[in-house]
Amino acid sequence: MYAGAGRAGSGPVEGTRPVLYDAVLLDRDGTLIEDVPYNGDPEKVRPVPGARAALDRLRAAGLRLAVVTNQSGLARGYFSEEQMRAVHARIEELLGRFDAWLVCPHDDADGCDCRKPAPGLVHAAARQLGTSASRCVLVGDIGRDVAAAMAAGAAGVLVPTPVTRPEEIAAAGWLAGDLPAAVDEILRRQQAVHPASGPAGQRVGTALVVRSDSAGDVLVTGPAIRAVAAGAQRVVLLCGPRGRAAADLLPGVDEIIEHPLPWIDPAPESVDADAMRTLTTRLAAVGADEAVVFTSFHQSALPLALLLRMAGIRRIAAISDDYPGSLLDVRHRVPAGVPEPERALSLAAAAGHRLPVDDEPVLRLRQDALPYRPADLGAPGYVVLHPGSAASSRACPPELAARIAGSLTAAGHRVLVTGGPDERAVTARVAAAGGTDLGGRTDLPGLAAIVADAGAVVVGNTGPAHLAAAAGVPVVSLFAPTVPFGQWGPYRVPTVRLGDAGAPCRDTRAASCPVPGHPCLSGVDPAEVVEALRVLVGSGGGGR
Ligand SMILES: [Zn+2]
C-alpha cells in the first residue's frame, strides 16, 4: 500500500488522554468527496456538504485524521500515482491537512491484506498515527468500510449514500445521516465518558455498583466498574445469580452481594416482602457513600433506587428516562445505539468517575481468577466454536454449527466445541462433524481460560463473545439481530459479523426465535466462517 508522508503529531499528553478515541479514519470517495469513479482529475474534486467544518471540529478536539481509501484504478491503470497525488493535494486544499493517507492500489483479484474489507489499511493508519486500531473510529459509506474497521477492532460509522446497499445499512452497528452528523456523534460519545466535573475528584470511601441480569451484562459493565473503582477506596457489587460467575472475574470489585431483582430478571420470581427487607438491610450494612446503578435500556433502575434510599444511601446515580423524583441524585440519559460498555462508562462519568489514563475502555478479567487451561487441549491458536446460548433465539442452529465445524476442520483449523452442561447433546453432535467436544467440561472461569488461548471464537450474541473481547481474541459473530449489534456486538476486538441483520426477528428482544427456521442465522454459509477466520487470523489459520 502507499502511505503518505508521516505528519503524525506527538503522542497524546499524559493525563489528558481521551478515554475512547485518538483518531478518526475517513473513507475518501462517497464519504469526504463526491464519488467520481476512477478520478485522476483534481478539478473534479467536490467535498460533501459540511465536510470542512466537520473535520475542523475533529481537529479542534485533538483528534488526528487519516484517509483510508481503496484505489483499484491504480492497479487497473485508469490513473497514475502522480494524478492521484494531485487529487489528494486538491482535497487537502479544500478540506485541510490530514495526518496520514493510506491507499490500497490493488484489485480484489490481488488478494492483498489492505483492500477494504480487509483490515490492513486500518492497522497501517493506526500505526502511522501512533495509536492502535481499537482507539480509532472509521467513517465510510459502504459495508466494506465498516467491515474493515470491525475486522481491525476499530469502531465503524456508516454514512449511507444512494449506492449503499440495504443489507449494509441493516448490518451497520452505527449509522449517521451525513458526515457532519457522524462527527457530532463521535465527539458526543468521546465527551460523554469524561466526567463533567473535571479530572478525578476526591475519592469516595465505599461505592456500591449494581449490575443485575446475565454474565454478558456483567462483563460489558466491567470498564465502568473499573472507572468507579479508580475513584473509590472500596467497591461492592450487587449482582444477580445468573451474573455471579462473571462478577467474580471483574477487576476492581472488592466484595459481591448476590441477590435476584424481580423487576430485572426475564423469568422473575414473585416479589417477596421479606426478601426485599433482607436485601435492604444488607445494602444498608455496606455503608456506601454512593451507589451507581447500571441497567440495560429496557430495564428500570428506580425500584432498586427506592430500596437504596431506604438503606440510607445518600447519593444515587442511574440512567432513567422515567421521571425519578427524588430517587436519583444523578439522573443520566443516553441516546439509543451506544455500545453497552460506553453507555455504562458514561453513567460512571456522570457520577464523576473516569477510567485511569493507564487503563483502556476494553473488557478485562482478573487473571488471577482464571484456572490453568487443560494441557490436553494442545497449543494455543485453536478455534473455539460455541453454538449455544441461554436465549435460543441467539444460538447457532446445531445443524449449521455442525457444518461449520466440518468446514473449519477441513480448512486445517483445530476446533474446540464448548457449551454448558445442558448443551452436551448439541456439542456432541457438532463435534462429531469435526472437533473436540468440551460440552459440560467448563465453568465460566474455565471457559474464559480456554477462550484466552484461542486464535478466534465463533459464537452468537452470548457470554463467550464477551469473554473473547476481554481476552482480545477475534470473534466471528453469528449475531441474531434480536437486539442492536451496535450495543451488544463484541466490543473493541477484531470482529466479522455474519447472519441476516435484516431478519424479521430484528429488535424483537425475543428469547426464542419468533420466525420459523431461525432464518437470521440458518442462511450462514460455513465458507463465510472460513473466510472470516482468514481475514481475522490470516490464511495460515489460527489452528495449524
Ligand atoms: Zn491492497
Side-chain angles (χ1 to χ4, degrees):
M1 84 195 68
Y2 291 77
R7 285 193 295 269
S10 52
V13 180
E14 210 49 46
T16 63
R17 188 177 203 202
V19 175
L20 296 182
Y21 305 122
D22 294 328
V24 180
L25 317 183
L26 299 123
D27 169 56
R28 196 190 87 175
D29 301 319
T31 300
L32 286 174
I33 61 173
E34 287 172 16
D35 189 9
V36 178
Y38 306 118
N39 181 27
D41 180 359
E43 293 306 309
K44 291 185 180 158
V45 170
R46 300 272 181 280
V48 302
R52 176 65 195 247
L55 295 173
D56 283 345
R57 288 202 294 283
L58 294 173
R59 294 181 179 109
L63 285 154
R64 279 160 282 161
L65 304 183
V67 179
V68 287
T69 180
N70 286 353
Q71 295 297 336
S72 62
L74 277 175
R76 299 177 193 185
Y78 294 160
F79 52 81
S80 68
E81 198 186 329
E82 192 181 2
Q83 285 173 307
M84 184 185 76
R85 291 194 192 284
V87 166
H88 291 177
R90 176 63 177 157
I91 292 172
E92 290 206 323
E93 203 178 305
L94 293 166
L95 296 180
R97 311 281 307 263
F98 291 88
D99 299 297
W101 286 84
L102 288 301
V103 179
C104 167
H106 309 113
D107 213 333
D108 274 331
D110 293 331
C112 68
D113 66 359
C114 50
R115 181 167 168 80
K116 295 176 284 185
L121 285 186
V122 178
H123 285 303
R127 254 194 320 274
Q128 198 169 137
L129 297 172
T131 186
S132 60
S134 68
R135 296 189 61 83
C136 294
V137 49
L138 184 151
V139 185
D141 67 320
I142 57 173
R144 278 175 178 259
D145 297 312
V146 174
M150 284 186 8
V157 191
L158 185 71
V159 178
T161 69
V163 307
T164 314
R165 297 204 300 263
E167 60 270 28
E168 296 175 339
I169 297 172
W174 183 351
L175 277 173
D178 55 22
L179 179 60
V183 163
D184 288 346
E185 180 61 8
I186 289 167
L187 292 172
R188 193 200 64 74
R189 291 189 186 185
Q190 179 94 310
Q191 195 59 41
V193 294
H194 279 267
S197 54
Q202 224 173 315
R203 274 163 71 95
V204 300
T206 296
L208 176 68
V209 293
V210 183
R211 188 59 166 105
S212 200
D213 226 343
S214 68
D217 299 285
V218 170
L219 291 173
V220 298
T221 312
I225 292 174
R226 299 202 306 275
V228 174
Q233 285 162 13
R234 172 173 165 250
V235 172
V236 180
L237 169 62
L238 169 63
C239 68
R242 295 186 308 132
R244 174 57 191 259
D248 285 327
L249 298 180
L250 289 188
V253 175
D254 299 299
E255 289 171 47
I256 295 174
I257 297 175
E258 179 187 323
H259 203 287
L261 302 182
W263 52 91
I264 299 285
D265 292 336
E269 308 269 309
S270 59
V271 175
D272 179 82
D274 284 337
M276 290 300 111
R277 275 188 276 272
T278 304
L279 175 60
T280 307
T281 304
R282 285 183 77 183
L283 294 173
V286 169
D289 300 289
E290 72 168 306
V292 186
V293 183
F294 297 102
T295 48
S296 291
F297 73 97
H298 62 287
Q299 299 168 341
S300 174
L302 298 183
L304 184 70
L306 177 60
L307 297 192
L308 293 170
R309 280 288 189 242
M310 293 172 72
I313 294 174
R314 305 273 288 273
R315 188 165 185 275
I316 304 173
I319 296 172
S320 185
D321 285 327
D322 291 330
Y323 172 65
S326 55
L327 289 179
L328 299 180
D329 304 285
V330 177
R331 178 203 191 181
H332 185 54
R333 299 176 93 165
V334 183
V338 178
E340 287 290 314
E342 283 173 33
R343 190 172 183 275
L345 272 171
S346 76
L347 172 59
H353 305 288
R354 67 157 279 171
L355 279 174
V357 288
D358 60 352
D359 200 352
E360 282 288 307
V362 294
L363 310 193
R364 289 192 199 284
L365 303 180
R366 281 177 44 195
Q367 292 307 301
D368 64 333
L370 302 188
Y372 287 107
R373 185 171 62 81
D376 62 348
L377 300 184
Y382 44 74
V383 174
V384 169
L385 172 59
H386 190 94
S389 168
S392 62
S393 61
R394 296 189 263 120
C396 179
E399 177 274 332
L400 171 62
R403 285 191 291 129
I404 290 173
S407 294
L408 291 178
T409 303
H413 294 284
R414 278 181 297 132
V415 178
L416 305 184
V417 184
T418 56
D422 53 342
E423 293 166 342
R424 279 184 186 143
V426 169
T427 60
R429 177 178 166 194
V430 172
T436 303
D437 180 11
L438 298 182
R441 267 183 66 183
T442 53
D443 55 9
L444 193 75
L447 182 57
I450 288 171
V451 163
D453 276 346
V457 175
V458 182
V459 63
N461 174 26
T462 187
H466 304 302
L467 294 179
V473 171
V475 179
V476 179
S477 178
L478 307 170
F479 195 95
T482 55
V483 295
F485 183 78
Q487 280 173 245
W488 289 102
Y491 188 60
R492 282 189 162 213
V493 70
T495 299
V496 171
R497 177 186 187 171
L498 298 178
D500 178 4
C505 63
R506 186 178 172 94
D507 295 337
T508 58
R509 289 188 32 247
S512 57
C513 182
V515 190
H518 202 7
C520 67
L521 294 181
S522 58
V524 170
D525 183 343
E528 294 179 274
V529 179
V530 173
E531 169 59 15
L533 285 171
R534 192 192 64 77
V535 168
L536 291 171
V537 300
S539 52
R544 286 176 196 240

